[in-house]
Amino acid sequence: MRFVFLSYNYSPDIFSPEEWTERIKFYVGSLEVLSMKHSVIRVDQINYTGNFIYNGVQYFCVDEGKKKNYFPRNLNRFVKKLNPDVVVVSSFLFPLQVLQLRSCLGKKIKIIVQHHAEKPYTGTRKLIQKMASRLIDAYIFASFEIGAEWVKNGNLVDEKKIHEIVGGTSIFYPVEKCIAREKIHIQEEVIFLWAGRFNANKDPITVVKAFLKFARLQPGRKLYMIYQTTELLEEVKQLISATKSNDSIVLVGQVKHLEMLYWFNSADFIISGSHYEGSGTAICEAMSCGCVPIVTDIPSFRAIIAEGKCGFLYEAGNENALFDSLLQTMTPLAQEKQAKALEQFKNNLSFDAIAAKFQELAATL
């Protein structure tokens, strides 16, 4: 089978194949696995024109010089000339372009659109999304629930077209905990980790409040917080300084992505306070290293941790619910969930698992 993965997004800040493959490494590992049995092509728009093969995947980079090309006639014609059996479009944000793609490709070639955390359109663009969805053969979401909400809102037309495949996943792997902790110079007995932006959606405030309460009962527990943005940093600092347990939370700041391998392998638990996530790459990365997730009860996380079988779910924004989940980490149940987290990652979230799901989906269309 011949797969073409197509993006209508334009990335003017990328000037070379090396930069591009580095940026999208969370997504293309599954394509590399898929290429072992199928012909796999990626078509992207960056500030570079050319083609190359990388780890079995054929890349075509097109630079049309536009951030948003509403009428990509040349691009769609180029895709057709590649003779695909299946075209996978990245993001539901380009319904007008997809309508034109269907017209260009005809009825025989299958079109799949994959969700990447974008929110559904409203107004006129919503109507165009709905029109395009009639001509799409399958919708991919990290969680069926998220896709079903799009259908309920009237942006998509058919619940039967929804399929669950996670978007970004992990390039990391298990490392001996003692080796990982030596690398980052931490030695506490039990370590909790936060990795995300300090903004309202990620809700570090609820996490900090709950953990400070937990640390008063378990003085030896430590939460390390790695963050890329600082919108709520001062408020977090004030909460920490106002308590006697202020040494239980360590504000690490920014960490290079490759170094996260050692942080995820050092931690026993990964905490998220997110109110919305289209997928959950950081949680996948943590699980690939054996971290047990303590995450909010939202659709994407429910799918990632198998409805709580390999982690703990709590109500978003609920400090007491998170505190109760933290208390459960002190029970034998937490140790059982570590093995289940690794198993869930291997069977459903790894590059191999994602490639298998793409193959199965394409075969049914």
Side-chain angles (χ1 to χ4, degrees):
M1 191 171 290
R2 195 168 175 84
F3 290 84
V4 172
F5 289 79
L6 168 64
S7 174
Y8 287 108
N9 188 57
Y10 178 61
S11 300
D13 59 324
I14 301 294
F15 295 89
S16 71
E18 293 78 15
E19 289 178 275
W20 187 237
T21 52
E22 174 65 20
R23 175 173 289 191
I24 62 175
K25 60 188 176 183
F26 312 103
Y27 306 104
V28 298
S30 56
L31 276 60
E32 294 167 6
V33 175
L34 194 63
S35 72
M36 295 177 184
K37 295 182 179 179
H38 304 275
S39 177
V40 179
I41 301 167
R42 270 197 68 112
V43 179
D44 296 291
Q45 299 180 84
I46 63 175
N47 206 345
Y48 167 87
T49 301
N51 63 85
F52 59 95
I53 296 174
Y54 183 76
N55 289 346
V57 178
Q58 173 72 65
Y59 289 80
F60 289 95
C61 297
V62 181
D63 178 13
E64 294 194 342
K66 296 179 180 179
K67 290 186 177 180
K68 202 160 190 178
N69 188 350
Y70 291 98
F71 300 98
R73 178 183 299 179
N74 293 335
L75 183 59
N76 287 343
R77 285 178 175 175
F78 178 75
V79 170
K80 184 177 183 179
K81 288 180 180 179
L82 295 173
N83 297 315
D85 298 299
V86 178
V87 177
V88 182
V89 178
S90 175
S91 175
F92 284 90
L93 294 180
F94 305 95
L96 182 61
Q97 292 86 336
V98 169
L99 284 169
Q100 296 167 73
L101 178 67
R102 171 55 77 199
S103 177
C104 179
L105 296 181
K107 296 180 180 179
K108 186 177 180 181
I109 298 171
K110 305 303 180 183
I111 296 177
I112 299 171
V113 178
Q114 184 168 20
H115 182 244
H116 285 292
E118 63 270 16
K119 297 290 185 70
Y121 281 142
T122 59
T124 302
R125 292 187 297 178
K126 173 180 176 179
L127 296 177
I128 300 173
Q129 266 184 339
K130 188 172 184 178
M131 288 172 59
S133 75
R134 297 182 188 277
L135 305 178
I136 297 168
D137 297 284
Y139 322 135
I140 292 178
F141 288 86
S143 161
F144 180 88
E145 287 182 71
I146 298 175
E149 191 64 27
W150 279 59
V151 174
K152 182 180 177 182
N153 287 341
N155 295 78
L156 305 178
V157 295
D158 192 351
E159 231 179 49
K160 294 178 182 178
K161 293 183 180 182
I162 301 171
H163 299 267
E164 274 193 8
I165 303 177
V166 71
T169 186
S170 176
I171 61 171
F172 296 143
Y173 48 87
V175 173
E176 288 287 340
K177 197 174 290 293
C178 60
I179 295 174
R181 290 185 175 184
E182 185 176 344
K183 285 278 187 180
I184 57 175
H185 309 295
I186 58 175
Q187 297 297 332
E188 283 81 13
E189 182 181 351
V190 180
I191 292 173
F192 295 77
L193 184 66
W194 154 286
R197 296 180 178 88
F198 267 8
N199 62 28
N201 179 60
K202 303 294 185 180
D203 199 0
I205 302 301
T206 294
V207 172
V208 167
K209 287 180 177 178
F211 196 86
L212 288 172
K213 184 178 178 181
F214 172 68
R216 288 196 287 271
L217 295 178
Q218 293 292 315
R221 303 303 190 250
K222 280 278 182 79
L223 171 64
Y224 288 82
M225 303 189 81
I226 295 170
Y227 47 92
Q228 291 76 45
T229 63
T230 59
E231 296 93 320
L232 296 174
L233 179 59
E234 290 306 315
E235 191 171 344
V236 167
K237 286 182 176 179
Q238 289 174 16
L239 286 170
I240 295 172
S241 63
T243 177
K244 294 180 180 179
S245 306
N246 55 19
D247 63 342
S248 62
I249 297 180
V250 180
L251 299 177
V252 179
Q254 292 187 353
V255 169
K256 291 180 180 179
H257 184 256
L258 290 180
E259 293 177 11
M260 290 301 297
L261 169 68
Y262 302 110
W263 283 96
F264 286 131
N265 276 286
S266 295
D268 301 281
F269 302 93
I270 179 78
I271 304 177
S272 175
S274 293
H275 291 251
Y276 172 81
E277 293 287 347
S279 185
T281 301
I283 302 303
C284 290
E285 289 178 327
M287 290 172 66
S288 73
C289 299
C291 273
V292 177
I294 306 171
V295 295
T296 48
D297 191 4
I298 58 178
S300 56
F301 286 163
R302 282 198 292 273
I304 288 173
I305 71 168
E307 304 293 331
K309 291 179 182 177
C310 56
F312 300 95
L313 291 165
Y314 71 95
E315 181 185 8
N318 189 327
E319 174 189 338
N320 292 328
L322 174 53
F323 174 71
D324 290 340
S325 293
L326 291 169
L327 290 177
Q328 291 184 61
T329 66
M330 299 161 55
T331 70
L333 178 64
Q335 294 181 344
E336 296 175 14
K337 288 182 182 286
Q338 182 180 29
K340 290 180 179 178
L342 285 168
E343 183 181 2
Q344 167 72 355
F345 178 81
K346 178 182 177 181
N347 294 339
N348 294 288
L349 307 173
S350 65
F351 289 133
D352 286 345
I354 293 170
K357 289 182 179 183
F358 268 116
Q359 180 175 284
E360 291 167 8
L361 171 55
T364 65
L365 298 178

